Amino acid sequence: MKRLLLLFVFLLSCVSVFAQKEEYSIIVKDIETLEPIQNATVIIMKTQQILLSNEEGKVTFMLTGGSNIQVSETNYENLTVRWTSLNGAQKFVIYLKSKNNKLDEVVLSKESPEKILQKLVNNSIKKISTSHRQKVYVREFFMLDNQYTYYNDGLVNFQFDKNNNATTLLVEQNRSYGLLEADVSSDLKGYNLNNIMENYLNFKYLDPLLDSKSKKAYDFTIKGHSTNKDYYVMSVIPLDKAKEAIDNFEIIYDPLKKLIVEFTISVTPASLDKIEEKTKEGEKNMTKSFVNVAYRLNGDDYYLLNSNEEIGYTLVQKEKSKNIQVRNCFVTTGFNKQNFTYDEGDVFKEKSLFNKKNKILTNYWDISGFTATDEEKAIIASLEFKL
């Protein structure tokens, strides 16, 4: 009896060992060029974790046992890979085939592009506004006079209450490294996590195009997507005579489902030249502006997938102006329609993670949706000692 009991304990210990989570890495590449594919969406089917490939095409995750892998990117054919075909390797490469449809002809419609965009925004807001929660990995890089001076990231939960039209933010883990000078720190801490998420969900960045006077300031054209036959691309460029309009817009959308898939907003050097330079102390002169936001439709679920924002400006000062650049990234790594419970004291009500004390329980930054490149890891490591 004693031997049987010992054998049972031994078998249980073996099971626990074999059931431990292991770390895996995937690199997504173009099958023809062998170049890494950035911003490919990788879904771990067993856990439904969402990952986004970095500039190296890489994602990293933890998993117990095996799982089929689903990979997609707008310009490539979707692919589902069986775990058994990966031979249990902890580092492996997945190749995607380009769609190469070459369908970028101009699309003719009885409706004006402005009206089409208004319907797209209205329908997208309606679809995305259902109550849900998202687990999001957020990070920010800060540069002062072309030198990285500060970094923060965190794993946070956004809960959206449709009935009260409210957003609740809870922070699971976070870290901040580096130092900010007192006279520019208020400028660097410019991203309000709650506000920026609500802007994504309400498509606030497209408001200038929904104004009744937008036709006088912008030129609208619609074409078929160059590689994806299911999508159209609306390009909106400021007219030369429009002094205040400086942003270039590109909106990718599904014309059948009437949903926005992705939008990009950028400012060209030519547009920046239209802006009158400011000279008073404390004023800002923009040097760079870029926004890219993508959404995911999975069955009936439609939600923010990821975003990247970059802003650069010169802060006018008495003796020497300072060049400031901020780079912000959101990646949704989990989506659920079930609400989570929390204490009111746990709700994060500050503007930025800069205001929150470091809370590090795991190396969440490696396995929470968006893996840093080797270059980014070196930057973060250099700032870690400037506490």
Side-chain angles (χ1 to χ4, degrees):
M1 183 68 182
K2 194 173 182 179
R3 288 183 178 180
L4 287 174
L5 183 60
L6 288 172
L7 179 61
F8 180 69
V9 171
F10 174 74
L11 289 173
L12 277 179
S13 64
C14 289
V15 170
S16 64
V17 169
F18 288 117
Q20 288 180 351
K21 286 186 176 182
E22 292 189 76
E23 183 176 305
Y24 296 92
S25 294
I26 296 173
I27 296 178
V28 185
K29 290 187 176 184
D30 185 302
I31 196 170
E32 295 178 359
T33 66
L34 303 183
E35 291 295 320
I37 299 173
Q38 186 178 5
N39 293 336
T41 303
V42 179
I43 310 294
I44 311 304
M45 302 299 288
K46 183 177 182 179
T47 62
Q48 286 300 298
Q49 184 182 13
I50 306 163
L51 309 165
L52 192 73
S53 62
N54 62 20
E55 290 181 15
E56 299 167 345
K58 185 178 180 179
V59 300
T60 304
F61 57 97
M62 300 292 290
L63 185 66
T64 301
S67 171
N68 291 349
I69 309 292
Q70 189 180 81
V71 188
S72 62
E73 205 278 340
T74 302
N75 300 296
Y76 293 84
E77 295 180 1
N78 295 346
L79 181 68
T80 299
V81 181
R82 290 183 176 275
W83 189 258
T84 52
S85 69
L86 302 173
N87 299 319
Q90 289 181 281
K91 293 183 179 179
F92 47 86
V93 180
I94 291 178
Y95 297 94
L96 296 186
K97 182 179 179 182
S98 176
K99 291 180 178 177
N100 286 326
N101 290 320
K102 304 300 180 185
L103 299 171
D104 56 348
E105 297 92 352
V106 174
V107 175
L108 301 177
S109 173
K110 293 180 181 179
E111 281 190 307
S112 68
E114 296 91 333
K115 287 185 177 180
I116 291 174
L117 180 59
Q118 183 68 69
K119 288 183 177 179
L120 285 170
V121 171
N122 290 344
N123 195 54
S124 296
I125 291 174
K126 183 180 178 181
K127 183 72 175 174
I128 210 170
S129 64
T130 55
S131 295
H132 66 276
R133 62 183 170 95
Q134 287 178 235
K135 181 175 288 191
V136 179
Y137 174 67
V138 301
R139 73 176 190 181
E140 291 176 303
F141 285 94
F142 302 87
M143 293 183 74
L144 176 60
D145 293 333
N146 298 317
Q147 296 289 326
Y148 284 99
T149 57
Y150 179 74
Y151 171 84
N152 74 54
D153 67 14
L155 190 60
V156 303
N157 285 282
F158 290 92
Q159 181 158 291
F160 306 96
D161 185 346
K162 179 182 179 181
N163 297 326
N164 297 315
N165 194 28
T167 305
T168 302
L169 172 61
L170 289 92
V171 180
E172 285 190 18
Q173 301 186 63
N174 67 288
R175 58 178 182 163
S176 298
Y177 297 138
L179 296 171
L180 296 179
E181 295 184 21
D183 56 349
V184 296
S185 61
S186 59
D187 296 280
L188 287 173
K189 296 181 288 183
Y191 285 101
N192 185 313
L193 293 177
N194 271 311
N195 285 356
I196 197 172
M197 178 59 87
E198 289 177 0
N199 287 340
Y200 293 151
L201 300 184
N202 294 318
F203 297 86
K204 284 292 183 182
Y205 289 81
L206 303 181
D207 276 359
L209 306 183
L210 304 179
D211 188 280
S212 58
K213 298 178 182 178
S214 64
K215 193 173 182 179
K216 296 180 180 179
Y218 295 95
D219 178 44
F220 291 74
T221 59
I222 300 177
K223 293 184 178 182
H225 194 282
S226 61
T227 59
N228 194 320
K229 62 182 177 58
D230 297 323
Y231 297 151
Y232 286 171
V233 179
M234 181 181 294
S235 298
V236 188
I237 300 172
L239 298 171
D240 291 336
K241 63 181 181 181
K243 293 184 179 180
E244 294 184 3
I246 61 170
D247 292 317
N248 289 264
F249 296 79
E250 183 181 84
I251 302 153
I252 302 173
Y253 66 96
D254 187 321
L256 296 180
K257 296 184 175 68
K258 293 181 173 55
L259 293 173
I260 294 172
V261 176
E262 180 180 344
F263 67 80
T264 302
I265 307 172
S266 59
V267 177
T268 65
S271 294
L272 288 174
D273 290 340
K274 293 164 59 175
I275 305 174
E276 185 177 348
E277 186 176 359
K278 298 172 183 176
T279 57
K280 291 183 180 179
E281 186 177 358
E283 290 186 323
K284 304 173 189 175
N285 288 304
M286 184 188 299
T287 57
K288 183 177 184 178
S289 179
F290 176 83
V291 178
N292 176 263
V293 184
Y295 300 84
R296 181 171 187 245
L297 179 65
N298 181 32
D300 292 330
D301 300 328
Y302 175 63
Y303 54 89
L304 172 78
L305 179 61
N306 66 274
S307 69
N308 287 283
E309 293 199 39
E310 294 182 47
I311 183 73
Y313 57 86
T314 300
L315 182 65
V316 180
Q317 295 193 321
K318 251 185 181 180
E319 296 182 1
K320 182 184 177 182
S321 296
K322 295 189 176 182
N323 181 265
I324 297 170
Q325 296 178 60
V326 185
R327 180 156 51 100
N328 172 283
C329 173
F330 276 37
V331 178
T332 294
T333 187
F335 176 89
N336 201 311
K337 287 185 176 178
Q338 292 181 346
N339 292 336
F340 52 74
T341 57
Y342 58 88
D343 295 326
E344 190 61 30
D346 294 332
V347 177
F348 185 69
K349 298 179 180 179
E350 298 292 336
K351 184 178 179 180
S352 165
L353 291 180
F354 175 85
N355 303 307
K356 186 169 175 59
K357 184 179 179 181
N358 285 8
K359 181 182 179 182
I360 302 173
L361 305 176
T362 65
N363 61 333
Y364 64 89
W365 50 87
D366 284 332
I367 56 174
S368 294
F370 195 60
T371 304
T373 63
D374 290 340
E375 180 183 356
E376 290 167 341
K377 288 178 180 178
I379 294 168
I380 297 166
S382 70
L383 295 174
E384 188 174 354
F385 300 101
K386 297 180 180 180
L387 295 176

